[in-house]
């Protein structure tokens, strides 16, 4: 089943004509994902062409969704316009919006989150690599790739991966794939302090997903989302979870690249998160080199 | 981004937040004139640097104290002559200190009560939050720890903004009654506008003071701004003082690199913020000490890799470098060429360990091997960390 998206999910791309959006729309098409529409205001009626693909472009998300049956949007528009793009997709009634854009002002995201929390649209991100449900083909071809993750490192299987960081997710996925273990769905929830979907939201879904048998949860310093997820998992999650927290050596008060990765007022430390995860029975990898190994041991595969 | 105290006061004036009278001065003459214009009995002269601990600091010319009280414009001028253009060392500046280019000349006010008031972005509620306390002028974190009942927390609806009844509720909790309640409402509302319209993530007034003559004034302020919103805050960006920042971080930001200097001796160069943190962690786990955080981003170019090497090597404490790249979409061979060029350009002699994984990795490894450069390859992150730590300890 996977979570959020399946290979049949129909996806539209907001900002498909920008260089970043175009490049990743092409890679998703190559991966075999159903990119059925693009949205760029003012370019409605044109087409996004790539190989044998001819993707229609619309002026508005509402028109794109109505005419192509897209239910999910990938947002690649630049930061000043990204909050508006997310709200547009929510207004059009899409079930899921995946915001890749990095650098959206906090005040914009506060309003977006407050607005969509009362509706039916789920937001993943922003400032995230997106999500991948691997397919059955060679190098997991034929899956649903939304965002910027490399598709070929995946393999269809039964491990769910959730993370705030892009390259650290790829690292974990690659460790799994290299050892012959595939993934149900890999979800990047993003590195911003205001995001649409939390670790906890994703853990709940993995717990309910029959295809997911084990979970890797990757966090980093800042906030309390990992602690909250760990506490819930300790009491409710029936599946083995391995974790890793980045930023043990990060100096307090400094933002470590991600807007949300900061230890402030003694809160959000790696030590606190690791302790909460261990207390919940989550196996914490000592180094990022052994994320897969740590899971496989706990899962009884090694 | 941080701003100076005198700049915070400029923001207060713009938004109508009551504060003591004062003016910035860049020369002793300006300082004297500013003091004359104040017409106050007691004047405070404060060195403008971003670091704390100014009052107890010492200038490199031997003059003691970055904050002084005096009575006449002539005295202000004398003080200014000893402070301006001099380097002030405080417990937060490190031994190199900071050059003082600006002074704040302000009315010294008598204080009958010191309070605390802040507006900050609260992650848990994803909304602005007011924090207020009757215990001002002290470290608020210790108040929160020892007497949490003395701290009021009030979440603000981001659509409605702060409401008048909320400002009265806070004023009442702080014991600000009668005419002070009206002043408090006005000040809190103005400060909320400052917070939202300047895209702050924190505005902290500590202390917020009541004077014996019944005025409520924001005496000292600390601002944090949302870096993501700076593109629409040209007035705030204009307040940036690059002289107060780590020159390596300034250089890195010019190449869109994310660099933070640390105190270890093993430099690292990584793509992605999470992986960059994890690389620092694994260096430490392997017995070394990371010299920096450096994220070259997901789509790094050859030029960026080259600039990154120069920034790393600008830190003379660095004794070895670990490159850790997971090239998902990015071509490992492009990175490999970038590394080879950078090593040649900089004439690198320090140990260098390169771990490449991902897209086109075989070609990348071949490029490194055929370069004839004395660099070490690594099969995994752990292997790379072990190798660089061993190489640095052997040197």
């Amino acid at each position: 089943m996977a979570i959020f998206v399946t290979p049949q999910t129909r996806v539209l791309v907001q900002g498909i004509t920008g260089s970043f959006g175009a490049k990743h729309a092409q890679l998703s098409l190559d991966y075999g994902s159903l990119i059925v529409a693009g949205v760029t205001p003012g370019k409605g009626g044109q087409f996004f062409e790539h190989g044998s693909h001819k993707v229609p472009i619309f002026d508005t998300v509402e028109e794109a969704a109505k005419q192509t049956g897209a239910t999910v949007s990938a947002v690649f528009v630049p930061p000043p316009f990204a909050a508006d793009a997310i709200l547009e997709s929510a207004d059009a009634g899409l079930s899921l919006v995946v915001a890749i854009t990095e650098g959206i002002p906090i005040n914009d995201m506060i309003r977006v989150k407050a607005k969509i929390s009362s509706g039916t649209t789920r937001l993943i991100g922003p400032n995230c690599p997106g999500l991948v449900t691997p397919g059955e083909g060679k190098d997991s071809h034929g899956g649903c790739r939304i965002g910027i993750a490399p598709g070929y490192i995946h393999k269809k299987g039964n491990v769910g991966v959730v993370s705030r960081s892009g390259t650290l997710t790829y690292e974990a996925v690659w460790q799994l794939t290299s050892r012959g273990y595939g993934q149900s769905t890999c979800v990047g929830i993003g590195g911003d302090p205001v995001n649409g979907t939390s670790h906890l939201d994703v853990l709940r879904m993995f717990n309910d997903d029959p295809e997911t048998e084990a979970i890797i949860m990757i966090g980093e310093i800042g906030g309390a989302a990992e602690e909250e997820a760990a506490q819930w998992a300790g009491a409710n999650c029936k599946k083995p979870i391995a974790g890793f927290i980045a930023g043990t050596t990060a100096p307090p008060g400094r933002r470590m690249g991600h807007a949300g990765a900061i230890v402030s007022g003694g809160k959000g430390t790696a030590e606190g998160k690791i302790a909460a995860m261990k207390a919940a029975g989550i196996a914490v990898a000592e180094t990022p080199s052994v994320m897969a190994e740590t899971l496989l041991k706990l899962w009884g595969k090694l | 981004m941080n701003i100076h105290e005198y700049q915070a006061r400029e923001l207060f004036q713009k938004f109508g937040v009551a504060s003591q009278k004062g003016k910035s001065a860049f020369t002793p003459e300006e300082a004297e004139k500013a003091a004359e214009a104040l017409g106050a009995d007691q004047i405070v002269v404060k060195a403008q640097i971003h670091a704390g601990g100014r009052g107890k600091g010492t200038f490199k010319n031997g003059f003691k104290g970055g904050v002084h009280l005096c009575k006449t414009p002539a005295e202000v001028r004398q003080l200014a002559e000893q402070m301006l253009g001099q380097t002030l060392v405080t417990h937060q500046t490190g031994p190199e200190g900071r050059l003082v280019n600006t002074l704040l000349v302000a009315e010294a006010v008598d204080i009958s009560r010191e309070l605390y008031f802040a507006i900050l972005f609260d992650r848990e509620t994803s909304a602005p939050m007011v924090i207020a306390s009757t215990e001002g002028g002290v470290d608020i974190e210790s108040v929160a720890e020892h007497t949490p009942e003395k701290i009021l927390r009030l979440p603000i609806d981001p659509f409605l903004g702060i409401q008048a009844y909320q400002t009265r509720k806070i004023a009442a909790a702080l014991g600000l009654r009668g005419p002070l309640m009206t002043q408090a409402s006005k000040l809190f509302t103005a400060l909320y506008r400052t917070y939202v319209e300047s895209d702050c993530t924190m505005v902290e007034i500590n202390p917020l003071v009541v004077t014996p003559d019944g005025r409520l004034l924001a005496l000292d302020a600390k601002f944090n701004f949302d870096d993501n919103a700076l593109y629409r805050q040209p007035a705030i960006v204009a307040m940036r003082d690059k002289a107060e920042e780590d020159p390596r971080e300034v250089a890195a930001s010019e190449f869109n690199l994310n660099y933070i200097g640390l105190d270890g001796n093993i430099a690292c160069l990584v793509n992605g913020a999470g992986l960059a943190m994890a690389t620092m962690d694994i260096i430490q786990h392997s017995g070394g000490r990371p010299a920096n955080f450096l994220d070259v981003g997901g789509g790094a170019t050859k030029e960026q890799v080259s600039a990154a090497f120069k920034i790393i090597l600008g830190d003379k404490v660095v004794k070895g470098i670990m490159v850790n790249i997971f090239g998902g979409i990015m071509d490992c061979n492009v990175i490999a060429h970038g590394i080879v060029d950078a090593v040649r350009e900089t004439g690198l002699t320090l140990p260098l360990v390169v771990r490449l994984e991902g897209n086109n990795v075989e070609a990348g490894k071949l490029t490194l091997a055929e370069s004839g450069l004395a660099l070490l390859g690594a099969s995994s992150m752990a292997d790379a960390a072990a190798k660089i730590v061993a190489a640095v300890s052997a040197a």
Side-chain angles (χ1 to χ4, degrees):
Chain A
M1 237 315 277
I3 65 171
F4 295 120
V5 293
T6 69
Q8 288 73 43
T9 301
R10 298 172 74 79
V11 180
L12 67 83
V13 175
Q14 287 173 270
I16 198 167
T17 53
S19 61
F20 190 42
K23 176 181 170 182
H24 288 285
Q26 288 170 358
L27 288 167
S28 285
L29 287 166
D30 291 342
Y31 189 63
S33 305
L34 297 179
I35 306 296
V36 297
V39 175
T40 299
K43 294 195 175 170
Q46 300 180 17
F47 289 89
F48 178 81
E49 296 190 43
H50 175 60
S52 60
H53 301 284
K54 205 174 171 195
V55 180
I57 300 174
F58 298 86
D59 285 322
T60 70
V61 172
E62 189 175 25
E63 290 165 341
K66 260 189 193 150
Q67 292 184 40
T68 65
T71 57
V72 173
S73 170
V75 174
F76 281 92
V77 306
F81 318 109
D84 178 66
I86 296 167
L87 291 174
E88 183 182 1
S89 274
D91 179 69
L94 298 193
S95 62
L96 177 67
V97 181
V98 184
I100 308 304
T101 310
E102 175 175 5
I104 306 178
I106 289 178
N107 278 335
D108 292 12
M109 279 313 303
I110 284 176
R111 287 189 281 264
V112 167
K113 187 166 179 173
K115 172 69 186 162
I116 66 170
S117 63
S118 57
T120 54
T121 302
R122 172 171 288 283
L123 171 68
I124 293 179
N127 188 14
C128 79
L131 65 166
V132 176
T133 290
E136 314 249 8
K138 181 177 182 289
D139 293 337
S140 76
H141 188 273
C144 183
R145 169 189 184 270
I146 299 176
I148 60 175
Y152 70 92
I153 62 169
H154 296 81
K155 172 184 163 72
K156 189 174 164 56
N158 307 102
V159 181
V161 180
V162 55
S163 167
R164 272 163 77 184
S165 145
T167 38
L168 211 44
T169 314
Y170 313 157
E171 190 75 46
V173 168
W174 186 239
Q175 287 174 16
L176 287 167
T177 299
S178 314
R179 285 165 177 75
Y181 290 87
Q183 305 87 38
S184 52
T185 302
C186 302
V187 187
I189 59 174
D192 272 6
V194 183
N195 59 12
T197 295
S198 66
H199 278 108
L200 174 56
D201 295 332
V202 181
L203 283 192
R204 282 181 198 272
M205 296 182 74
F206 279 143
N207 196 40
D208 292 340
D209 173 35
E211 203 174 303
T212 302
E213 292 173 13
I215 300 163
I216 291 183
M217 168 173 141
I218 302 166
E220 60 194 32
I221 53 165
E226 291 87 352
E227 289 89 327
E228 175 198 54
Q231 205 181 3
W232 177 87
N236 301 288
C237 189
K238 305 293 169 229
K239 302 175 182 179
I241 307 176
F244 177 73
I245 300 291
T248 304
T249 50
R254 298 301 308 265
R255 259 169 232 287
M256 306 305 284
H258 286 156
I262 180 167
V263 173
S264 55
K267 286 184 186 153
T269 62
E271 291 72 20
K273 290 172 191 294
I274 290 168
M277 287 163 83
K278 285 184 173 166
I282 295 172
V284 180
E286 287 235 342
T287 77
S289 256
V290 294
M291 291 186 285
E293 208 179 303
T294 304
L295 179 71
L296 296 179
K297 276 183 190 157
L298 179 71
W299 196 9
K301 305 283 183 185
L302 279 185
Chain B
M1 206 198 99
N2 288 315
I3 60 174
H4 288 294
E5 187 183 5
Y6 78 92
Q7 295 167 322
R9 296 172 42 80
E10 287 169 15
L11 277 178
F12 283 167
Q13 272 163 20
K14 181 178 167 191
F15 288 94
V17 177
S19 183
Q20 82 275 38
K21 283 185 273 180
K23 203 167 182 303
S24 57
F26 300 88
T27 64
E29 294 73 37
E30 282 180 11
E32 186 177 6
K33 273 189 193 156
E36 280 165 7
L38 284 177
D41 303 338
Q42 283 261 33
I43 302 162
V44 61
V45 180
K46 296 168 119 178
Q48 299 293 287
I49 57 172
H50 285 175
R54 294 172 295 175
K56 289 181 180 156
T58 304
F59 287 88
K60 283 193 172 170
N61 63 2
F63 188 65
K64 287 209 184 312
V67 177
H68 290 271
L69 273 175
C70 56
K71 291 193 186 302
T72 67
E75 281 178 77
V76 170
R77 185 186 177 119
Q78 279 179 351
L79 284 167
E81 278 165 357
Q82 300 186 78
M83 294 163 82
L84 282 169
Q86 300 297 327
T87 303
L88 178 60
V89 180
T90 80
H91 68 93
Q92 285 189 6
T93 60
E96 69 279 11
R98 298 273 174 81
L99 185 64
V100 176
N101 289 316
T102 317
L103 298 175
L104 173 66
V105 180
E107 162 201 19
V109 295
D110 290 327
I111 295 168
S112 47
R113 290 186 64 205
E114 289 188 287
L115 310 168
Y116 177 95
F117 182 90
I119 305 168
L120 49 82
F121 158 66
D122 178 55
R123 274 172 96 138
E124 265 173 62
T125 53
S126 291
M129 170 95 77
V130 167
I131 312 276
S133 175
T134 51
E135 308 301 298
V138 294
D139 175 22
I140 195 69
E141 275 155 23
S142 81
V143 178
E145 196 183 322
H146 299 113
T147 48
E149 72 283 359
K150 289 188 173 164
I151 294 198
L152 168 77
R153 289 165 196 275
L154 191 69
I156 307 296
D157 184 308
F159 292 120
L160 292 174
I162 199 164
Q163 298 296 295
Y165 77 86
Q166 292 178 308
T167 64
R168 294 192 298 272
K169 189 169 164 176
I170 302 159
L174 295 179
L176 299 169
R177 309 278 178 177
L180 279 171
M181 183 173 268
T182 315
Q183 288 184 52
S185 272
K186 189 165 170 268
L187 192 148
F188 298 158
T189 307
L191 202 68
Y192 186 78
R193 262 192 68 211
T194 315
Y195 174 89
V196 173
E197 291 181 27
S198 306
D199 276 307
C200 298
T201 52
M202 184 184 79
V203 187
E204 181 185 61
I205 310 291
N206 192 18
L208 172 70
V209 303
V210 180
T211 65
D213 56 351
R215 289 184 293 161
L216 182 70
L217 301 173
L219 212 56
D220 202 357
K222 194 175 169 212
F223 279 79
N224 283 342
F225 298 95
D226 175 11
D227 291 342
N228 287 354
L230 289 178
Y231 73 87
R232 63 187 180 197
Q233 296 291 348
I236 303 296
V237 175
M239 292 180 175
R240 182 172 175 192
D241 184 353
K242 288 188 184 172
E244 290 281 343
E245 298 174 25
D246 184 331
R248 296 168 300 178
E249 293 176 20
V250 174
S253 69
E254 277 157 20
F255 287 92
N256 273 326
L257 300 167
N258 222 319
Y259 174 95
I260 294 172
L262 301 170
D263 55 7
N265 60 3
I266 298 178
C268 47
L269 185 162
V270 191
N271 66 328
L275 193 62
M277 273 187 272
T279 303
M280 289 164 30
D281 296 346
I282 204 168
I283 288 172
Q284 176 142 311
H285 186 84
S286 310
R289 285 183 306 126
N292 65 278
F293 167 92
L294 175 56
D295 171 16
V296 297
T301 61
K302 249 175 65 174
E303 289 69 30
Q304 280 178 307
V305 172
S306 178
F309 264 90
K310 285 174 194 156
I311 290 161
I312 284 175
L313 293 171
D315 182 351
K316 295 302 166 205
V317 178
V318 167
K319 295 285 175 271
I321 302 173
M322 169 172 166
V323 173
N324 185 14
I325 300 287
F326 194 102
I329 304 297
M330 180 197 269
D331 187 331
C332 287
N333 199 23
V334 170
I335 294 295
H337 279 290
I339 294 168
V340 170
D341 288 357
V343 170
R344 290 204 173 117
E345 273 175 47
T346 54
L348 181 75
T349 52
L350 299 174
L352 167 66
V353 175
V354 182
R355 183 263 178 156
L356 289 178
E357 189 59 82
N359 188 17
N360 209 14
V361 63
E362 294 313 322
K365 285 182 176 168
L366 197 65
T367 300
L368 294 177
E370 287 177 347
S371 68
L373 296 173
L375 46 81
L376 296 164
S379 58
S380 71
M381 227 189 295
D383 183 36
K387 279 180 174 156
I388 191 65
V389 170
V392 167
S393 352

